[in-house]
């Protein structure tokens, strides 16, 4: 894993936005895997800003979101589809037909999950998969104990995730108990993964993801087996890393080799 440590949330967002925007400029037909939640908001704001300045074009890009709550439709303000419209899709020139978010109201969710996998394959696979990490180590909604080879499916949210996500709802009772999520195997198929984490409440999950043993109890640790993952974290999220200084030194050395 390539670990990038920056001072704060603003800086990790800038770093990630730069990577995605460079990828999109190099390949306008990029297939993006997108995440919701608090973490990628500033990154999306930066991409929108670049688009509005005329520096970024989404017209040929395709996207697949990681997950959606079962039972919430696109009109529901807590749905991930609504989130994506609000923070990215409604501001840029992505073609509606190229946007994919799992349908929380699909009449046959299992069938829908299989169809979602087929659509990803038909698009040629995901080039950049953006990820956040849950305080319990989940990525997508793959909770501790998930199969490391899982595919898109219907999953049950862990109590910790329900508690964490209740901040976006009026009360904890309103947080849906189930979701449709890309599986860990689906995420691992992406050509490049970019995981973002900010804040001390993510520090333990980040430590287990990067330095812990590879195990289903920390679903994000599966990324240790991914050939091209960049983890971009702020100092607060990095505070429990045993080899923090090494990651900083490594990045500095790489930069020197690349630019000197
Ligand atoms: C969201 C997703 C989740 C979040 C994670 C962190 O689409 O798949 O895995 O990335 O729960 O959420 P935040 O960013 O709100 O801390």
């Amino acid at each position: 894993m390539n670990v990038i440590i920056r001072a704060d949330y603003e800086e990790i967002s800038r770093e990630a936005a730069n990577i995605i925007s460079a990828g999109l400029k190099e390949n306008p037909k990029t297939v993006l895997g997108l995440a919701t939640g608090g973490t990628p908001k500033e990154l999306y704001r930066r991409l929108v800003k670049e688009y509005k300045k005329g520096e970024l074009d989404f017209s040929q890009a395709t996207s697949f979101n990681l997950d959606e709550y079962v039972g919430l439709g696109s009109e529901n303000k807590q749905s991930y589809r609504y989130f994506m419209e609000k923070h990215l899709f409604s501001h840029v020139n992505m073609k509606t037909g190229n946007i994919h978010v799992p349908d929380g109201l699909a009449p046959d969710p299992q069938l829908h999950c299989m169809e979602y996998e087929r659509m990803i394959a038909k698009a040629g696979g995901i080039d950049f998969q953006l990820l956040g990490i849950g305080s319990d180590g989940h990525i997508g909604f793959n909770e501790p104990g998930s199969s490391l080879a899982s595919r898109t499916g219907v999953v049950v949210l862990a109590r910790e995730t329900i508690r964490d996500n209740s901040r976006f709802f009026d009360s904890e009772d309103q947080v849906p108990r189930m979701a449709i999520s890309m599986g860990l195997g689906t995420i691992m198929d992406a050509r490049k993964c970019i995981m973002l984490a900010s804040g001390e409440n993510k520090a333990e999950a980040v430590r287990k993801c990067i330095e812990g043993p590879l195990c289903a109890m920390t679903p994000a640790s599966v990324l240790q087996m991914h050939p091209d993952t960049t983890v971009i974290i702020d100092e607060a999220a990095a505070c429990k890393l045993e080899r923090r200084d090494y990651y900083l030194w490594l990045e500095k050395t790489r930069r020197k080799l690349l630019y000197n």
Side-chain angles (χ1 to χ4, degrees):
M1 271 190 226
N2 182 21
V3 181
I4 298 180
I5 302 171
R6 292 286 176 271
D8 53 26
Y9 177 63
E10 285 290 316
E11 285 199 24
I12 62 164
S13 306
R14 183 175 34 200
E15 195 71 37
N18 287 346
I19 295 175
I20 291 180
S21 122
L24 205 51
K25 282 172 188 157
E26 196 184 312
N27 173 18
K29 293 186 176 167
T30 294
V31 180
L32 297 165
L34 300 175
T36 57
T39 314
K41 280 186 188 170
E42 174 61 16
L43 152 70
Y44 292 146
R45 199 190 64 77
R46 285 176 176 274
L47 293 179
V48 169
K49 200 171 154 197
E50 245 194 277
Y51 166 75
K52 288 193 170 156
K53 279 202 270 174
E55 291 167 5
L56 215 48
D57 174 26
F58 289 82
S59 64
Q60 298 180 69
T62 298
S63 73
F64 288 91
N65 263 77
L66 276 169
D67 40 21
E68 178 61 283
Y69 290 115
V70 168
L72 302 193
S74 57
E75 304 298 311
N76 190 308
K77 288 191 175 158
Q78 267 80 34
S79 74
Y80 284 172
R81 175 72 195 217
Y82 191 96
F83 174 101
M84 289 308 302
E85 290 293 338
K86 183 174 169 194
H87 294 282
L88 184 68
F89 299 152
S90 66
H91 305 287
V92 299
N93 64 339
M94 269 187 81
K95 293 200 179 89
T96 312
N98 288 351
I99 292 172
H100 307 88
V101 181
D103 181 359
L105 298 179
D108 184 339
Q110 304 288 0
L111 194 70
H112 178 62
C113 292
M114 282 158 65
E115 183 54 24
Y116 204 69
E117 288 273 336
R118 268 197 293 270
M119 287 191 293
I120 295 174
K122 203 173 151 199
I126 291 169
D127 293 307
F128 286 93
Q129 178 62 60
L130 186 63
L131 298 163
I133 183 169
S135 60
D136 65 358
H138 71 228
I139 48 175
F141 269 129
N142 298 284
E143 300 286 18
S146 302
S147 155
L148 297 178
S150 58
R151 309 300 308 184
T152 303
V154 179
V155 295
V156 175
L157 272 56
R159 284 180 207 277
E160 200 168 354
T161 303
I162 292 172
R163 203 181 50 231
D164 285 353
N165 289 7
S166 65
R167 69 190 195 277
F168 299 116
F169 292 78
D170 289 337
S171 73
E172 211 172 292
D173 292 344
Q174 290 181 13
V175 184
R177 270 37 184 172
M178 290 166 85
I180 291 174
S181 176
M182 277 188 203
L184 294 173
T186 320
I187 292 169
M188 288 293 282
D189 285 347
R191 283 180 270 281
K192 186 174 181 66
C193 290
I194 300 163
M195 196 184 89
L196 287 178
S198 168
E200 211 178 324
N201 62 324
K202 297 291 174 72
E204 185 57 20
V206 164
R207 185 190 68 76
K208 287 181 175 166
C209 163
I210 301 172
E211 298 178 340
L214 167 66
C215 69
M217 288 311 286
T218 306
S221 68
V222 75
L223 295 170
Q224 292 174 19
M225 295 287 287
H226 192 276
D228 190 357
T229 286
T230 299
V231 179
I232 310 173
I233 51 182
D234 63 15
E235 285 287 2
C239 72
K240 293 196 175 167
L241 290 175
E242 203 174 299
R243 312 233 326 136
R244 174 188 168 277
D245 293 347
Y246 171 70
Y247 306 129
L248 288 169
W249 180 79
L250 193 67
E251 200 207 334
K252 214 168 137 191
T253 310
R254 273 204 193 119
R255 275 182 193 269
K256 256 194 197 158
L257 289 174
L258 279 174
Y259 302 114
N260 278 356

